[in-house]
């Protein structure tokens, strides 16, 4: 474990520190992938100071495979050196109790996650999304129960609106279990959290761990010359070809010029840009190889931006007609 490779940031007003770049297991840790390649990525993550691993009950395929894979990768001697997270809310089995944020579903899916992970607790448990059919009071009371049962250390929410996040934080505070973190989508192509969510998180003392900071690969060098045949967009995996518009490509090419001047790749620029806001605790990246992960973590070598660089990035978005 190399704790010197990257900075660690405090998660909201808690005592928990997270690395600036964390590893998400949404892609490449399901069935059909080589365990040896998955182990190589995991070991590289440790070498790069990544102590935070983000999973969800649904990640695979098949459902639950990422949790089972992580069980096989994590040496139990390192359990106290890493932060393991998982999430509930997702459709996981048939019938009325196999999805949603009812107390019945969440407690059942947490137990199933712990079994797949081979752990007696997770460090952070998220509501993966809001469930407007379940009273928010029931949702947060269930999170509080998880903590008091010893199966969860901290709780978070993901994909909640600013208003519902504020309500959840207030209700949890009343129960004595603070809301630790929110996990929203955020990137140079998706800046919605700047409008009000970040203000709510700062006010409530809640951390922010963002996913898709590279917009499913759009904010990389991969699409500068069009859509490669073996890319996610070409295969329709989490990114469809209709999102690779001329406007987006113009913007990415403009970002490439700024990145080159900074001595970075487009991906490194995009990650550094997300981290330049002190309210962002960590960015989640996926990885298909140890080399790709190492390149992404190198973003922390240059996190500072000049006013001119930030203005150039905003101007490029406006001139390209990109909706941010």
């Amino acid at each position: 474990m190399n704790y010197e490779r990257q900075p660690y940031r405090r998660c909201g007003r808690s005592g928990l520190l997270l690395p600036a770049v964390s590893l998400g297991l949404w892609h490449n840790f399901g069935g059909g992938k080589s365990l040896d390649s998955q182990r190589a990525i995991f070991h590289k993550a440790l070498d790069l100071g990544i102590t935070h691993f983000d999973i969800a009950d649904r990640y695979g395929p098949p459902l639950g495979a990422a949790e089972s894979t992580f069980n096989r990768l994590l040496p139990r001697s390192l359990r106290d050196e890493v932060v393991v997270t998982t999430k509930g809310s997702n459709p996981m089995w048939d019938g009325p109790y196999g999805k949603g944020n009812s107390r019945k579903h969440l407690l059942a899916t947490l137990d199933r996650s712990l079994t797949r992970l081979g752990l007696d607790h997770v460090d952070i448990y998220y509501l993966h999304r809001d469930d407007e059919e379940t009273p928010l009071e029931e949702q947060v009371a269930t999170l509080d129960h998880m903590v008091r049962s010893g199966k969860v250390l901290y709780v978070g929410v993901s994909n909640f609106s600013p208003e519902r996040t504020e309500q959840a934080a207030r209700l949890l505070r009343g129960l004595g279990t603070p809301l630790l973190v929110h996990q929203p989508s955020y990137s140079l192509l998706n800046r919605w959290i700047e409008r009000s969510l970040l203000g709510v998180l700062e006010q409530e003392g809640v951390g922010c761990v963002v996913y898709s900071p590279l917009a499913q690969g759009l904010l990389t060098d991969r699409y500068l010359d069009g859509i490669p045949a073996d890319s996610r967009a070409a295969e329709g995996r989490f990114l469809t070809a209709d999102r690779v518009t001329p406007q987006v490509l113009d913007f990415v090419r403009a970002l490439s010029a700024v990145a080159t001047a900074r001595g970075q790749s487009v991906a490194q620029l995009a990650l550094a840009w997300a981290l330049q806001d002190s309210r962002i605790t960590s960015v989640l990246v996926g990885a298909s190889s140890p080399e790709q992960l190492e390149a992404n973590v190198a973003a922390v070598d240059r996190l500072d931006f000049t006013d001119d660089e930030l203005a150039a990035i905003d101007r490029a978005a406006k001139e390209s007609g990109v909706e941010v």
Side-chain angles (χ1 to χ4, degrees):
M1 191 84 71
N2 181 2
Y3 298 113
E4 306 302 319
R5 179 61 189 91
Q6 58 171 314
Y8 292 77
R9 296 181 168 192
R10 191 164 302 282
C11 193
R13 287 198 289 266
S14 77
L16 185 67
L17 298 174
L18 297 178
V21 179
S22 301
L23 181 62
L25 276 67
W26 184 11
H27 307 304
N28 302 310
F29 285 86
K33 301 291 184 179
S34 161
L35 185 63
D36 286 341
S37 67
Q38 293 167 337
R39 183 175 288 111
I41 294 170
F42 176 74
H43 287 167
K44 176 58 69 173
L46 298 178
D47 290 342
L48 295 169
I50 293 177
T51 56
H52 174 212
F53 298 90
D54 183 81
I55 322 174
D57 55 2
R58 192 170 175 82
Y59 291 173
L63 301 182
E67 291 177 326
S68 298
T69 296
F70 192 75
N71 183 359
R72 301 174 71 182
L73 296 178
L74 177 68
R76 291 311 180 262
S77 61
L78 292 181
R79 176 63 186 97
D80 293 337
E81 305 299 316
V82 297
V83 172
V84 182
T85 83
T86 195
K87 310 179 189 75
S89 304
N90 303 298
M92 292 298 293
W93 60 89
D94 292 337
Y97 314 121
K99 62 182 178 180
N101 290 354
S102 71
R103 183 183 182 91
K104 181 169 179 61
H105 172 72
L106 291 176
L107 294 180
T109 197
L110 171 61
D111 283 343
R112 294 186 184 207
S113 287
L114 291 174
T115 297
R116 286 189 292 267
L117 289 164
L119 301 175
D120 61 4
H121 73 277
V122 291
D123 298 292
I124 304 173
Y125 186 86
Y126 288 94
L127 298 180
H128 210 160
R129 56 187 53 80
D130 195 1
D131 176 4
E132 294 188 358
E133 295 183 357
T134 300
L136 191 56
E137 291 81 0
E138 179 178 346
Q139 298 183 52
V140 301
T142 304
L143 293 179
D144 174 68
H145 173 81
M146 290 175 175
V147 173
R148 296 182 187 280
S149 72
K151 295 179 181 181
V152 171
L153 297 188
Y154 300 95
V155 295
V157 297
S158 180
N159 301 306
F160 271 49
S161 70
E163 297 76 18
R164 295 280 279 186
T165 300
E166 186 173 16
Q167 293 171 28
R170 174 173 47 80
L171 290 168
L172 280 165
R173 188 163 54 248
L175 294 171
T177 297
L179 179 64
L180 175 79
V181 62
H182 189 296
Q183 188 178 129
S185 59
Y186 182 55
S187 74
L188 276 162
L189 289 170
N190 179 20
R191 296 172 62 171
W192 72 276
I193 68 174
E194 296 175 6
R195 292 192 286 273
S196 60
L197 180 62
L198 284 176
V200 169
L201 300 184
E202 184 174 31
Q203 170 188 307
E204 299 293 338
V206 176
C208 186
V209 172
V210 303
Y211 71 89
S212 293
L214 300 180
Q216 294 298 319
L218 271 177
L219 293 169
T220 68
D221 301 321
R222 190 140 171 77
Y223 296 95
L224 290 176
D225 299 315
I227 303 176
D230 62 344
S231 66
R232 285 184 191 174
E235 298 173 2
R237 291 184 296 114
F238 308 107
L239 175 66
T240 54
D242 62 336
R243 289 186 58 196
V244 191
T245 65
Q247 292 84 1
V248 166
L249 292 180
D250 284 346
F251 180 45
V252 176
R253 292 186 185 108
L255 292 178
S256 181
V258 178
T260 298
R262 286 170 50 85
Q264 292 181 313
S265 67
V266 172
Q268 290 165 349
L269 168 70
L271 295 173
W273 174 87
L275 287 165
Q276 53 96 24
D277 190 319
S278 62
R279 295 171 295 183
I280 304 298
T281 311
S282 183
V283 294
L284 290 171
V285 299
S288 58
S289 69
E291 294 77 18
Q292 183 187 47
L293 184 59
E294 187 166 21
N296 284 337
V297 170
V300 304
D301 295 334
R302 181 74 194 281
L303 295 178
D304 60 302
F305 284 81
T306 67
D307 290 341
D308 287 345
E309 287 170 337
L310 292 174
I313 290 170
D314 288 341
R315 183 169 60 251
K318 183 177 181 180
E319 291 175 351
S320 300
V322 170
E323 179 67 38
V324 295

